[in-house]
Amino acid sequence: MMVCEYKPGLEGIPAAQSSISYVDGQKGILEYRGIRIEELAEKSTFLETAYLLIWGELPSKEELEGFEHEVRYHRRIKYRIRDMMKCFPESGHPMDALQASAAALGLFYSLRDLHNPAYIRDSVVRLIATIPTMVAAFQLMRKGNDPVRPRDDLDYSSNFLYMLDEKEPDPLMARIFDICLILQVEHTMNASTFSARVTASTLTDPYAVVASAVGTLGGPLHGGANEEVIQMLEKIGSVENVRPYIDHCLETKSKIMGFGHRVYKVKDPRAIILQGLAEQLFEKFGYDKFYDIAQEMERVVEEKLGSKGIYPNIDFYSGLVYRKMGIPTDLFTPIFAIARVAGWLAHWKEQLEENRIFRPTQVYNGLHEVTYTPIDQR
Ligand SMILES: CC(C)(COP(=O)(O)OP(=O)(O)OC[C@H]1O[C@@H](n2cnc3c(N)ncnc32)[C@H](O)[C@@H]1OP(=O)(O)O)[C@@H](O)C(=O)NCCC(=O)NCCS
């Protein structure tokens, strides 16, 4: 048997062949099915991009309308799911609530017909349609309120923002939110996508696939960084404190949140788009000190770490944008999940098309031939 070198975190080791997305970290390029994200952010919508990722090509007008229609009319969650969520502790993290609820959906749709395109489509529609409803429902219920019913007359992103506080969102805000979802929907073989593919490879149901990916996304080394960006901006508190804060991080070798990326050694292309969106948002709704602190941070970090290829990543600006929209900090990662579910489902479908169960090996570094010591002699 061929002996391979062990790479912690499987760094650099291909885990799948995939035609879903492509990153060039040296040039700062991200493509979904070959289309640059800049073009999708300008011209597409989240649901159209989700369709592109899952079914491999842009939908025709009829196909898109059909998909939007199905998603729109599957937004309601079963009252038993809602009742179950009511029992969750209000102090629990919304990612944990989402993971449990996504897994619970599988109890209601337990038929597993993985070779049937209709089953694949129904599962895709149901998960994309209901995840925002579950996130919004937990947000309201943990404050002691009843969840808001989805509104069929609103588009995907407007409806989610509406369900959060029962107010129709400003159209610019809803469009910016939709673009944020486009930018977060997919990013090659990251931890949660790998998790989704490993779970999918056992031929379990898509609810278990999504629940395992949600669990993986929740960690601070993955989806949780955008929450930490806001905590950092709050801690810095003023433009004058930016330079001393960064100097302190560099002296103590601690990471500045929202900067640096394993793949991108130039500015993250998603951060460039989000920076422009943040600009539009602050211009319309008023500049505040967080915007100024963020600008100063970018200047100082570039001055000190630009030569090492450390620039803002997507989490730096997504945190800033979501905060300006009035979204609670601990919903940032669930929103990331609302977007990423479409990417996970694209990988679920691709995995099923040429499935082989994941069964890597390990490098054993333990003992051999150890004798059992009776308990009274230990
Ligand atoms: C994302 C991240 C894990 C990528 O790390 P990585 O590719 O393993 O890069 P390394 O940790 O090897 O860093 C390379 C060098 O840049 C420095 N560096 C990387 N990110 C840094 C940051 N955010 N702040 C300060 N220095 C940083 C490292 O200290 C290291 O310096 P050294 O060569 O003098 O030791 C890392 O940049 C990070 O932790 N960023 C902050 C958290 C964050 O925003 N995560 C969201 C990512 S989308």
Side-chain angles (χ1 to χ4, degrees):
M1 190 188 163
M2 197 173 70
V3 179
C4 301
E5 188 193 346
Y6 162 58
K7 296 271 191 161
L10 301 184
E11 186 173 350
I13 298 183
Q17 281 194 333
S18 180
S19 59
I20 298 170
S21 64
Y22 170 79
V23 171
D24 183 330
Q26 301 299 329
K27 296 194 184 129
I29 293 174
L30 172 58
E31 293 172 340
Y32 299 158
R33 300 283 187 188
I35 304 179
R36 292 277 283 259
I37 50 155
E38 289 79 1
E39 203 172 358
L40 291 166
E42 188 192 332
K43 301 176 184 160
S44 187
T45 60
F46 170 68
L47 282 185
E48 185 185 54
T49 301
Y51 188 106
L52 166 73
L53 289 167
I54 295 165
W55 282 286
E57 34 188 61
L58 286 170
S60 66
K61 193 165 178 291
E62 292 72 37
E63 284 167 337
L64 180 60
E65 281 171 6
F67 182 53
E68 284 174 347
H69 181 85
E70 283 176 66
V71 169
R72 199 177 285 258
Y73 292 102
H74 281 86
R75 287 172 180 166
R76 283 184 183 73
I77 48 174
K78 292 193 177 292
Y79 75 90
R80 287 212 274 176
I81 294 265
R82 199 190 52 207
D83 288 352
M84 176 194 78
M85 293 179 81
K86 262 191 188 150
C87 301
F88 292 167
E90 56 278 8
S91 58
H93 195 285
M95 277 302 270
D96 296 331
L98 180 60
Q99 187 186 24
S101 317
L105 278 182
L107 291 164
F108 293 93
Y109 307 102
S110 55
L111 170 78
R112 200 178 305 155
D113 195 3
L114 299 176
H115 299 296
N116 181 352
Y119 172 81
I120 305 251
R121 187 176 174 106
D122 283 356
S123 312
V124 163
V125 165
R126 188 169 297 115
L127 278 156
I128 291 179
T130 54
I131 283 198
T133 313
M134 295 192 293
V135 171
F138 182 68
Q139 166 61 10
L140 290 178
M141 289 192 290
R142 70 176 167 165
K143 293 195 294 185
N145 301 330
D146 281 333
V148 170
R149 281 169 73 88
R151 276 226 344 235
D152 294 344
D153 60 319
L154 295 177
D155 64 59
Y156 188 79
S157 288
S158 303
N159 175 60
F160 172 68
L161 294 173
Y162 164 76
M163 286 189 299
L164 279 185
D165 56 8
E166 224 176 336
K167 270 203 322 262
E168 252 184 68
D170 174 89
L172 176 71
M173 208 180 262
R175 174 62 189 150
I176 289 180
F177 185 84
D178 203 64
I179 299 172
C180 290
L181 297 185
I182 294 176
L183 299 178
Q184 290 183 308
V185 62
E186 161 67 9
H187 205 238
T188 70
M189 194 53 65
N190 52 82
S192 59
T193 300
F194 182 48
S195 177
R197 284 192 84 124
V198 171
T199 311
S201 79
T202 68
L203 302 185
T204 185
D205 65 77
Y207 307 98
V209 169
V210 167
S212 78
V214 169
T216 310
L217 183 68
L221 294 185
H222 191 4
N226 52 15
E227 291 185 26
E228 296 196 33
V229 166
I230 294 303
Q231 284 152 14
M232 175 187 72
L233 293 178
E234 280 168 357
K235 192 168 153 203
I236 294 175
S238 72
V239 173
E240 298 71 55
N241 289 342
V242 167
R243 197 169 278 274
Y245 177 85
I246 289 170
D247 287 340
H248 179 74
C249 287
L250 297 179
E251 274 159 30
T252 55
K253 293 201 172 300
S254 44
K255 294 274 164 68
I256 305 156
M257 295 319 284
F259 287 85
H261 198 280
R262 175 63 54 84
V263 180
Y264 294 114
K265 298 306 164 201
V266 292
K267 194 163 167 181
D268 182 335
R270 300 164 300 172
I272 297 174
I273 300 171
L274 272 167
Q275 187 175 15
L277 299 177
E279 186 68 47
Q280 287 181 42
L281 200 64
F282 281 92
E283 195 175 311
K284 178 153 185 186
F285 297 101
Y287 288 93
D288 61 28
K289 69 172 184 179
F290 288 96
Y291 180 84
D292 298 336
I293 296 172
Q295 295 297 304
E296 178 69 358
M297 283 200 78
E298 182 161 358
R299 257 193 304 274
V300 179
V301 174
E302 185 165 349
E303 175 195 312
K304 307 225 172 211
L305 292 171
S307 58
K308 275 190 182 177
I310 312 290
Y311 294 97
N313 57 47
I314 186 170
D315 292 310
F316 188 65
Y317 281 104
S318 64
L320 200 67
V321 164
Y322 292 149
R323 189 188 174 283
K324 187 68 187 168
M325 290 182 175
I327 294 171
T329 310
D330 63 0
L331 289 192
F332 294 178
T333 316
I335 289 171
F336 192 163
I338 289 175
R340 192 53 69 85
V341 69
W344 295 328
L345 290 168
H347 282 271
W348 168 59
K349 191 166 166 290
E350 188 174 67
Q351 181 67 34
L352 291 181
E353 280 157 13
E354 226 167 287
N355 189 50
R356 185 156 171 82
I357 188 169
F358 277 90
R359 190 11 178 134
T361 185
Q362 61 169 16
V363 177
Y364 178 68
N365 63 357
L367 305 170
H368 290 285
E369 305 289 340
V370 180
T371 49
Y372 178 85
T373 313
I375 197 156
D376 54 357
Q377 291 170 29
R378 284 179 226 158

